[in-house]
């Protein structure tokens, strides 16, 4: 019996490392074509059902990505507020040399930060006020309306700030983090392969002056390149449709347990923080389209991104899950989830999920960017925002029904 009891905690650690694994980046305005900072989180978790929630807040209003199974909305996993402050996290597993850790506290801390903090300095003061041991081991990425962009590698008794604006630390103006911290013990934890992949892709986008929210979602969150093996699953796109082709799908940026991908696009110094935008692929990013939202308290978010009591999820996430199932038709054995049918994503007939999804998604990016540019030239128009959200609520379900024969009841 003792041997069994000793084995279970070790097994739980292995499971947690594989499930709670995210890829992320903090990007300063120096690295983007328009000079606006970006905050990216590609979320891997055991909670595959996600929703967006608009909060009034005690000090600032904010929008956050929340687990659909969090009825009281206690935790936020990426979000931004009316002051232009945005925050997200990745779990780290090499900072603490003890076992003092409480799962879920990251999301509660981020919710508090969105309610209380206007900028990175105020977030740092919040960290200093926390009682030790903090019971956390995580990398927190933040940007603000003053041009700030940084990570805080936070352990039980200390933290280290990693400034994306410091050329000695971030010569290209960005920092990538997965599931280890550079101030921790190297070689432990996980995410080394995913970090190398994301770093390669983002650095090239910086050098080519095309690092935008669209590029991050389509080229990084949907990357099928493996930096260790040099395999690129896009090479399988020359196989005709309906030729099931299973591949081992591990240590790519997207994974079976990826639940969402989001990019918060901040503002330049002097711009109204209300222009901050969160571009969100709510659900498995390989099967869901990206939708932008703005923190305007007089306008409700698109209903497809909100919790629906009947389906107990957001419609967007639920539709994406139905399409995702086409990639995971092999269900024989406990390790079957490691194998994905890449032919369902890409094929020579251009009928793969990604090939059908991205042209439609391009229309969303184009329409939203035009609206956003017009607001920056004058001011935010609440009626235009409502019209855009109404268009999203109409067009996206129609696209999924027509293209994938997937229909989820919408509010």
């Amino acid at each position: 019996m003792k041997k069994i009891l000793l084995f279970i905690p070790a097994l739980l650690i292995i499971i947690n490392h594989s499930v709670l694994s995210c890829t992320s980046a903090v990007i300063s305005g120096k690295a983007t074509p328009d000079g606006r900072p970006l905050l990216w989180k590609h979320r891997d978790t055991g909670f595959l059902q996600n929703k967006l929630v608009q909060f009034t807040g005690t000090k600032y209003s904010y929008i956050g990505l929340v687990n659909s199974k969090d009825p009281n909305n206690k935790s936020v996993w990426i979000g931004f507020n009316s002051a232009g402050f945005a925050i997200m996290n990745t779990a780290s597993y090499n900072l603490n040399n003890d076992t003092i850790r409480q799962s879920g506290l990251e999301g509660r801390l981020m919710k508090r930060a969105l309610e209380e903090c206007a900028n990175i300095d105020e977030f740092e003061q919040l960290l200093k006020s926390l009682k030790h041991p903090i019971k956390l081991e995580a990398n927190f990425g933040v940007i603000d309306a003053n041009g700030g962009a940084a990570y805080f590698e936070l352990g039980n008794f200390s933290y280290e700030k990693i400034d994306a604006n410091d050329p000695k630390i971030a010569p290209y103006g960005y920092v990538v983090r997965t599931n280890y911290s550079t101030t921790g013990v190297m070689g432990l934890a996980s995410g080394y392969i995913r970090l190398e992949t994301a770093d390669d892709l983002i650095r090239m986008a910086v050098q080519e002056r095309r690092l935008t929210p669209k590029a991050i979602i389509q080229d990084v969150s949907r990357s099928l390149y493996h930096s260790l093996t040099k395999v690129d699953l896009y090479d399988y796109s020359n196989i005709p449709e309906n030729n099931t082709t299973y591949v081992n799908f591990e240590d790519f940026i997207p994974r079976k347990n990826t639940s969402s991908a989001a990019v918060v696009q901040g503002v330049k110094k002097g711009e109204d923080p209300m222009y901050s935008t969160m571009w969100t692929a709510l659900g498995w990013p390989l099967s869901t389209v990206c939708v932008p939202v703005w923190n305007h308290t007089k306008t409700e978010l698109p209903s497809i991104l909100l919790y629906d009591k009947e389906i107990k999820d957001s419609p967007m996430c639920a539709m994406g899950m139905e399409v995702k199932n086409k990639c995971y038709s092999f269900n024989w054995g406990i390790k079957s989830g490691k194998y994905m049918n890449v032919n369902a994503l890409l094929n020579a007939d251009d009928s793969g999920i990604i090939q059908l999804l991205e042209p439609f998604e391009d229309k969303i990016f184009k329409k939203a960017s035009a609206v956003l540019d017009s607001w920056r030239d004058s001011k935010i128009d609440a009626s235009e925002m409502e019209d855009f959200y109404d268009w999203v609520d109409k067009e996206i379900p129609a696209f999924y029904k027509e293209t994938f024969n997937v229909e989820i009841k919408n509010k």
Side-chain angles (χ1 to χ4, degrees):
M1 178 63 70
K2 288 183 179 180
K3 289 183 180 180
I4 295 175
L5 292 175
L6 287 172
F7 172 75
I8 291 174
L11 178 62
L12 290 176
I13 291 172
I14 294 171
I15 292 174
N16 285 339
H17 278 215
S18 64
V19 172
L20 304 176
S21 304
C22 303
T23 310
S24 68
V26 169
I27 300 161
S28 76
K30 297 187 299 183
T32 63
D34 63 6
R36 295 180 177 89
L38 302 173
L39 190 69
W40 168 57
K41 179 174 181 176
H42 182 99
R43 188 182 183 214
D44 299 331
T45 176
F47 297 96
L48 298 180
Q49 290 77 34
N50 291 189
K51 61 187 176 182
L52 290 191
V53 179
Q54 196 162 18
F55 297 88
T56 301
T58 55
K59 190 174 182 181
Y60 302 104
S61 63
Y62 58 101
I63 293 173
L65 188 148
V66 178
N67 292 333
S68 292
K69 295 183 179 181
D70 181 355
N72 297 315
N73 303 322
K74 292 182 178 180
S75 300
V76 169
W77 300 102
I78 180 171
F80 68 110
N81 69 16
S82 55
F85 172 80
I87 186 169
M88 57 80 184
N89 81 300
T90 68
S92 178
Y93 301 101
N94 70 331
L95 280 172
N96 296 337
N97 58 1
D98 51 50
T99 58
I100 304 172
R101 181 178 181 142
Q102 185 172 338
S103 178
L105 287 184
E106 300 96 333
R108 297 190 183 193
L109 175 60
M110 289 189 286
K111 181 177 180 180
R112 180 181 173 186
L114 289 167
E115 291 180 339
E116 300 178 6
C117 300
N119 52 51
I120 290 177
D121 290 340
E122 291 186 8
F123 177 66
E124 187 166 8
Q125 291 305 312
L126 173 59
L127 293 184
K128 291 179 179 179
S129 73
L130 298 178
K131 183 180 178 181
H132 294 166
I134 298 174
K135 299 182 181 180
L136 283 175
E137 189 177 21
N139 305 311
F140 290 94
V142 288
I143 61 173
D144 64 27
N146 300 320
Y151 276 104
F152 289 85
E153 297 184 347
L154 177 69
N156 273 329
F157 299 97
S158 64
Y159 70 84
E160 187 75 21
K161 180 181 179 182
I162 313 297
D163 192 346
N165 282 301
D166 185 343
K168 294 180 181 178
I169 296 174
Y172 292 95
Y174 72 89
V175 180
V176 177
R177 285 290 179 272
T178 51
N179 303 110
Y180 67 94
S181 302
T182 56
T183 51
V185 180
M186 298 301 288
L188 299 180
S190 62
Y192 293 91
I193 296 170
R194 284 180 286 114
L195 187 143
E196 290 298 321
T197 304
D199 188 65
D200 288 346
L201 294 168
I202 293 174
R203 184 175 63 252
M204 183 61 68
V206 171
Q207 292 171 341
E208 295 177 351
R209 303 299 296 167
R210 56 175 179 82
L211 188 58
T212 62
K214 182 175 183 287
I216 292 175
I217 293 295
Q218 294 188 350
D219 300 338
V220 187
S221 273
R222 294 194 188 119
S223 168
L224 298 178
Y225 175 70
H226 195 291
S227 59
L228 180 65
T229 64
K230 309 305 179 186
V231 167
D232 191 338
L233 299 182
Y234 277 90
D235 293 340
Y236 286 81
S237 62
N238 61 350
I239 300 175
E241 64 180 351
N242 299 323
N243 282 269
T244 300
T245 307
Y246 288 111
V247 295
N248 189 305
F249 198 55
E250 291 188 280
D251 283 325
F252 293 87
I253 291 175
R255 312 170 86 181
K256 186 179 182 182
N257 63 319
T258 298
S259 68
S260 60
V263 181
V264 178
Q265 183 178 32
V267 295
K268 297 178 183 178
K269 281 188 178 182
E271 281 188 326
D272 188 338
M274 294 296 290
Y275 295 138
S276 298
T277 308
M278 188 159 83
W279 305 82
T280 311
L282 198 61
W284 200 49
L286 299 174
S287 63
T288 57
V289 294
C290 185
V291 179
V293 294
W294 300 276
N295 187 20
H296 195 287
T297 55
K298 295 182 180 180
T299 306
E300 292 187 3
L301 299 178
S303 61
I304 61 168
L305 305 180
L306 303 178
Y307 184 75
D308 186 307
K309 291 187 294 185
E310 292 192 20
I311 63 174
K312 297 181 180 180
D313 196 5
S314 64
M316 182 73 263
C317 197
M319 288 188 292
M321 187 71 72
E322 286 294 315
V323 177
K324 172 187 176 181
N325 290 338
K326 300 176 186 293
C327 298
Y328 288 95
S329 53
F330 180 71
N331 296 297
W332 196 261
I334 60 175
K335 294 185 178 181
S336 60
K338 293 183 178 182
Y339 300 98
M340 181 187 70
N341 175 19
V342 68
N343 190 250
L345 287 178
L346 308 153
N347 58 58
D349 298 282
D350 291 330
S351 62
I353 294 168
I354 293 176
Q355 294 163 321
L356 296 171
L357 181 148
E358 288 194 346
F360 173 74
E361 183 181 66
D362 288 342
K363 296 178 183 179
I364 299 175
F365 273 106
K366 184 177 180 179
K367 188 177 181 70
S369 296
V371 170
L372 188 53
D373 287 343
S374 70
W375 292 343
R376 287 172 179 152
D377 290 336
S378 54
K379 63 179 181 180
I380 289 180
D381 187 321
S383 63
E384 286 185 354
M385 189 179 297
E386 289 177 358
D387 289 344
F388 177 80
Y389 287 166
D390 288 342
W391 178 81
V392 162
D393 277 334
K394 178 183 177 182
E395 294 296 322
I396 292 179
F399 166 76
Y400 274 83
K401 183 178 180 179
E402 179 181 348
T403 307
F404 301 116
N405 196 28
V406 167
E407 186 175 12
I408 301 293
K409 182 185 178 297
N410 198 2
K411 293 192 227 181

